[in-house]
Structures are given as C-alpha cells and as structure tokens.
Amino acid sequence: MEETWTHQTVLLEEAVDALAIRADGHYVDATFGRGGHSRRILSRLSPAGRLTVFDKDPQAIEAAQQLARSDARVTVRHEGFRHLGELGGGSADGILMDLGVSSPQIDDPARGFSFRNDGPLDMRMDTTRGQSVAQWLETVDVSTLTEVIREYGEERFAQSVAKAIDRRRQERGPVRTTAELAEVVAGAVKTREPGKDPATRTFQALRIFINAELEELQEALEASLRVLRPGGRLVVISFHSLEDRMVKRFMTGHARAEVDRRVPFAEPKPVRLREVHRVMPSAAEVQGNPRARSAVMRVATRTDVPVGALS
C-alpha cells in the first residue's frame, strides 16, 4: 500500500545552519527518517560533498535508497546510529541526530506507536528483527515492567500500570493492540496533566525500551567524538527529557575543563567539545507543527583534542 502520511521536519533550517556546512565536506544524518534534513544538507553541498545516512526503519531506508539512486553523493546504511563509530576517525565534518519518531511512524496504525489509532502493539523501529512490545509483554514479570515504565516513562503510577497489565494477561489473555493497552493504562492512571492522555508515558517507556533508544544514543554520542574532525559540529534534537538530559550531560561534560585537584597549579585538562548552546523551536514553528513543541536542539563543536587524551 502506498504511504500517504507526511512528515514535517522540526528545526530544519536551524539544524542545517548549525552544521556550518562546508560545500565539499562529509556529513552524517544519523536518523534519516523521511530525509528532510538530508535533502537540505545536500542542497548546500558541492558535487564533491558527501552525505552518509543511517536508519533502522525499513520504510525510511526505502526512501533513503530512492534518494541515493538519484544522487551519488549519498551513502545509505540500514542500521541504527550505534554503528556510527564504524565510520573512519575524523572523517565527518558534521553529525546530525534528530531523535524524534517520524510522523509516518506515529500516524500509521500498523506500526503500533500511537494510542490514538488502534493497531498491532509493535513499536519496533526496525520491523525486520527483534521482539515487538506485544511479544515482550506476554512474559515480562511485574517488577521488570514496573521498572521499565518508571525509568523510561517517568510514570509515577508505574506499579499500578504493570499490575493492571498483569491482571489483564491472567483474566483475558495477552495485550495485543494499542487500543487494548491504552484502555488498561487508563484504568490504572487516575490523574494526568490537562490535555495529556493517560497512556502517553507508558507508550513512551515501552517504545524506548523495546528499541534500546537510550543505550543506542549513548553509544552514538561517544562515537561522535572519534568520527568528527576538529571543528566539526555535533547537532542533536531531542523530544523528551530523558534524551535531552543525556545529551546535555554528554556535551557539557566534554566541554568542561577538568582540574586535577591533587596537583596544585596544574593546567586544566583539554576538552573535546566547545561552544555548547541550545536552540528551541520558534513560536511560529510550534503553531504550524505542534509536534515541535517539545523539541530541544543542542550544538557543540569538536576540538582538536584526541579521544585518548582524556582517558
């Protein structure tokens, strides 16, 4: 079936501007999605420039391969950005990570990301491998489920939700669809912020867990230090607090001069990143694309300090 869902790229101009594109440089779009950022990067590259794109989603990869067939500057990798470190050391002039779930993923009920439309409870970014959420929920114990919902969803009713899912399994069988899960969660979460569906935090938690999103992000951030050349830019767009805290901690940690207090008058150790700053969507963008409202973009520049210098 032909895909009819569209995706509106968040912070499009701001993110590409932050990369400080060199026309003949090599750039990495670590989360291709539907290619909004990639196409804008390509528009600023010369024929000698190169773009490498990563994505786990088969539909995103199909779109990326179509782009690559028409533009020889594009290299496509059907894998998550945890493989970023496989690129050569100092080989990239800029790396962009847009951590949001794309609109086609959210809006397609068959993907199981949203509680707004009923569909199979899947949530895998890469539908060709791994367990779906429905499969995992069949056997997970209550304590583990509670921990996942609390840690990745920051849900204060995590235990109540986990127990409700377990009761549902025992009384009526496994939870198979998004509507079934949303109904179970709604019965366990008694209060919620105005305008927020009770299932929001649980769905976020299960998606992050089943795709190992935070572990992959940490690996990719660490790899970026090896892959970026001196002066190269790291640009990361986050959409929830867990991701943003991780990115902020990483960037500021590597941009802070460390002093060895055991050695009086010692020079601070050199840092790997500098010029860390934050960018938020404009009011006009949020009005035109409500999904941009939670976006936070952080930008850092790679120094010339080798990765091993601070180990």
Side-chain angles (χ1 to χ4, degrees):
M1 184 174 117
E2 184 179 353
E3 182 180 300
T4 58
W5 299 280
T6 60
H7 178 69
Q8 191 170 345
T9 305
V10 173
L11 290 166
L12 176 59
E13 297 297 340
E14 293 89 342
V16 177
D17 286 346
L19 287 170
I21 301 288
R22 292 175 49 243
D24 59 350
H26 173 216
Y27 293 86
V28 178
D29 186 345
T31 49
F32 179 80
R34 291 305 182 269
H37 287 120
S38 284
R39 290 181 177 85
R40 192 56 54 94
I41 292 168
L42 287 168
S43 73
R44 301 190 187 185
L45 292 178
S46 72
R50 292 183 297 130
L51 175 67
T52 299
V53 304
F54 289 79
D55 212 295
K56 293 190 288 188
D57 188 311
Q59 294 175 349
I61 287 299
E62 182 180 350
Q65 288 171 340
Q66 289 179 1
L67 179 61
R69 284 192 287 271
S70 64
D71 195 325
R73 297 173 297 175
V74 180
T75 299
V76 179
R77 299 185 63 136
H78 184 189
E79 53 196 1
F81 58 16
R82 70 183 343 136
H83 294 276
L84 183 65
E86 296 172 10
L87 301 180
S91 64
D93 295 280
I95 297 171
L96 171 62
M97 303 178 189
D98 178 348
L99 306 179
V101 181
S102 71
S103 295
Q105 289 172 324
I106 296 171
D107 295 336
D108 182 356
R111 299 302 301 273
F113 285 105
S114 176
F115 44 78
R116 300 188 188 284
N117 299 296
D118 194 20
L121 191 57
D122 195 319
M123 296 199 202
R124 289 172 297 168
M125 294 292 184
D126 186 347
T127 54
T128 67
R129 66 194 78 181
Q131 271 190 318
S132 69
V133 168
Q135 290 170 327
W136 184 71
L137 286 179
E138 285 187 35
T139 58
V140 63
D141 61 84
V142 173
S143 62
T144 300
L145 182 55
T146 299
E147 183 180 356
V148 166
I149 296 172
R150 180 180 293 127
E151 180 178 353
Y152 296 127
E154 301 179 295
E155 173 60 81
R156 68 180 186 274
F157 299 108
Q159 188 172 54
S160 296
V161 172
K163 287 181 176 179
I165 291 171
D166 186 51
R167 280 196 305 274
R168 156 64 198 243
R169 290 188 302 198
Q170 296 179 42
E171 296 171 1
R172 297 168 54 194
V175 179
R176 298 289 189 187
T177 72
T178 56
E180 290 172 355
L181 179 59
E183 180 183 6
V184 172
V185 176
V189 176
K190 302 304 182 184
T191 63
R192 180 56 75 224
E193 300 91 333
K196 199 164 198 177
D197 191 283
T200 301
R201 293 181 180 275
T202 296
F203 270 67
Q204 172 186 297
L206 294 176
R207 190 204 79 224
I208 291 172
F209 172 80
I210 212 69
N211 293 291
E213 291 179 23
L214 297 184
E215 294 84 354
E216 180 162 38
L217 174 58
Q218 188 62 46
E219 289 183 41
L221 291 171
E222 295 291 346
S224 71
L225 295 176
R226 298 189 296 276
V227 174
L228 281 170
R229 68 165 182 83
R233 295 285 181 90
L234 174 61
V235 180
V236 186
I237 304 172
S238 305
F239 288 83
H240 60 74
S241 58
L242 292 174
E243 292 172 338
D244 184 52
R245 281 199 296 267
M246 182 179 289
V247 174
K248 179 181 178 181
R249 190 179 306 121
F250 175 81
M251 287 186 173
T252 57
H254 286 294
R256 185 182 299 119
E258 297 180 0
V259 177
D260 189 343
R261 299 183 184 279
R262 297 168 299 180
V263 182
F265 310 112
E267 288 291 322
K269 292 181 180 179
V271 297
R272 295 164 171 162
L273 296 173
R274 59 180 172 80
E275 296 180 5
V276 176
H277 64 277
R278 185 182 71 165
V279 178
M280 309 290 285
S282 67
E285 178 169 8
V286 172
Q287 183 176 10
N289 180 14
R291 287 177 178 168
R293 67 185 180 277
S294 59
V296 179
M297 185 174 80
R298 297 187 186 272
V299 184
T301 303
R302 185 70 171 91
T303 68
D304 59 2
V305 177
V307 170
L310 293 177
S311 60

